[in-house]
């Protein structure tokens, strides 16, 4: 989860769920120690990184750092197979490619119309996820996937459009004890509540209308509070019947 969230440009919040005695469960301690050992060697691929524009690969995840219009991709490999090839949907010149934990262990890359391919050799250096550093000569030029092309095709039917300036109750209903919603010319202002660590001050806005099939969502969002200990979460709930 840590790697997955970092690859999407997010911050990972870990709840270790202490017992009533204020101690940690043995399972939580084991997991924290495992994460710590991995981070001791591979933290460069997590701290200070951002999401990559390249499509999420099946073999793992990708994080990225940029400097002076040049990008370094961190290929975090879950599925390492000796002799296998890692496809990266990116059309760029490669400067270098090596293991994060052993820079002397370089890997061969090839490029084609479907992107860059990294050749894996030998055993995986880590039993959980091994990190390969791929330095590019410039900023990543991501190759669109078929889904990207579909998203950009314009073959979509508009189901709901809300500028959030009118009566919010026309399209939404509110689930929350303390929450308040106001509309203005600037849009919708949604406040869950003013008290920290109080479950009553949690809230959700639901659309009155439900949707099925492939859904494309576009929105503009601005966080207006200055709290640094709380989290605002935007999520989509998908259900099967």
């Amino acid at each position: 989860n840590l790697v997955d969230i970092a690859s999407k440009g997010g911050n990972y919040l870990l709840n270790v769920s202490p017992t009533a005695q204020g101690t940690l469960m043995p399972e939580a301690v084991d997991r924290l120690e495992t994460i710590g050992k991995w981070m001791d060697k591979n933290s460069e691929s997590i701290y200070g990184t951002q999401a990559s524009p390249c499509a999420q690969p099946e073999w793992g995840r990708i994080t990225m750092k940029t400097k002076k219009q040049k990008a370094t991709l961190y290929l975090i490999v879950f599925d390492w197979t000796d002799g296998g090839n890692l496809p990266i949907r990116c059309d760029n010149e490669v400067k270098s490619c090596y293991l994060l934990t052993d820079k002397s262990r370089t890997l061969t890359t090839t490029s084609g119309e479907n992107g860059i391919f990294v050749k894996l050799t030998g055993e995986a250096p880590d039993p959980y996820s091994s990190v390969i550093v791929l330095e590019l000569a410039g900023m990543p030029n991501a190759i669109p996937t078929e889904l990207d092309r579909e998203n950009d095709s314009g073959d979509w039917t508009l189901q709901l459009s809300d500028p959030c300036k009118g009566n919010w109750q026309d399209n939404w209903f509110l689930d929350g004890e303390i929450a308040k919603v106001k509309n203005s010319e600037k849009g919708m202002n949604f406040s869950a509540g003013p008290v920290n660590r109080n479950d009553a001050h949690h809230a959700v806005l639901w659309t009155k209308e439900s949707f099925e099939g492939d859904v494309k969502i576009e929105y503009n969002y601005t966080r207006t509070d200055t709290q640094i200990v709380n989290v605002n979460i935007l999520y989509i709930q998908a259900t099967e019947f």
Side-chain angles (χ1 to χ4, degrees):
N1 287 342
L2 170 66
V3 170
D4 181 57
I5 296 301
S7 74
K8 296 177 172 65
N11 294 316
Y12 184 50
L13 304 178
L14 182 63
N15 185 357
V16 293
S17 299
T19 66
Q21 290 73 36
T23 60
L24 298 181
M25 297 291 289
E27 297 86 349
V29 174
D30 291 342
R31 185 161 296 180
L32 289 171
E33 288 179 344
T34 300
I35 294 173
K37 290 177 181 178
W38 188 86
M39 288 291 287
D40 284 342
K41 298 178 181 179
N42 299 286
S43 60
E44 180 184 327
S45 66
I46 302 295
Y47 291 141
T49 61
Q50 63 190 81
S52 157
C54 303
Q56 178 176 297
E58 295 183 357
W59 45 260
R61 297 292 184 269
I62 303 174
T63 59
M64 179 179 73
K65 288 181 179 178
T66 62
K67 185 177 181 181
K68 296 181 179 179
Q69 293 300 304
K70 294 181 181 179
T72 298
L73 301 184
Y74 296 91
L75 316 180
I76 307 177
V77 186
F78 303 155
D79 185 12
W80 182 294
T81 302
D82 183 19
N85 284 296
L86 302 181
I88 302 99
R89 294 189 65 82
C90 186
D91 182 16
N92 286 85
E93 177 186 347
V94 175
K95 290 180 58 180
S96 61
C97 186
Y98 55 87
L99 288 182
L100 178 59
T101 56
D102 183 3
K103 293 185 178 182
S104 66
R105 187 173 166 184
T106 59
L107 295 97
T108 302
T109 65
T110 56
S111 299
E113 62 179 13
N114 292 320
I116 300 168
F117 293 84
V118 177
K119 183 77 170 181
L120 299 179
T121 57
E123 295 183 358
D126 187 273
Y128 300 105
S129 52
S130 305
V131 183
I132 297 171
V133 181
L134 184 68
E135 295 183 345
L136 304 179
M139 296 295 288
N141 182 24
I143 299 174
T145 64
E146 188 61 33
L147 179 59
D148 294 328
R149 296 188 181 95
E150 290 179 2
N151 285 341
D152 295 335
S153 67
D155 296 332
W156 295 89
T157 301
L158 182 64
Q159 298 291 327
L160 173 64
S161 177
D162 189 351
C164 299
K165 296 180 180 181
N167 185 357
W168 66 271
Q169 293 176 321
D170 290 343
N171 293 312
W172 309 83
F173 66 87
L174 177 63
D175 182 4
E177 297 180 29
I178 311 294
K180 295 181 180 179
V181 179
K182 294 182 180 180
N183 290 103
S184 71
E185 285 302 311
K186 293 183 179 180
M188 179 191 293
N189 187 300
F190 175 34
S191 174
V195 179
N196 297 333
R197 304 182 185 280
N198 185 329
D199 288 347
H201 297 253
H202 295 173
V204 179
L205 267 178
W206 302 93
T207 60
K208 289 186 175 181
E209 188 176 355
S210 60
F211 310 94
E212 62 181 5
D214 294 331
V215 178
K216 181 180 180 182
I217 299 174
E218 297 179 351
Y219 61 90
N220 292 319
Y221 162 79
T222 302
R223 181 172 177 172
T224 58
D225 65 81
T226 57
Q227 294 288 335
I228 61 174
V229 296
N230 298 328
V231 177
N232 290 7
I233 301 175
L234 301 177
Y235 69 92
I236 301 167
Q237 176 173 308
T239 57
E240 289 185 340
F241 297 93

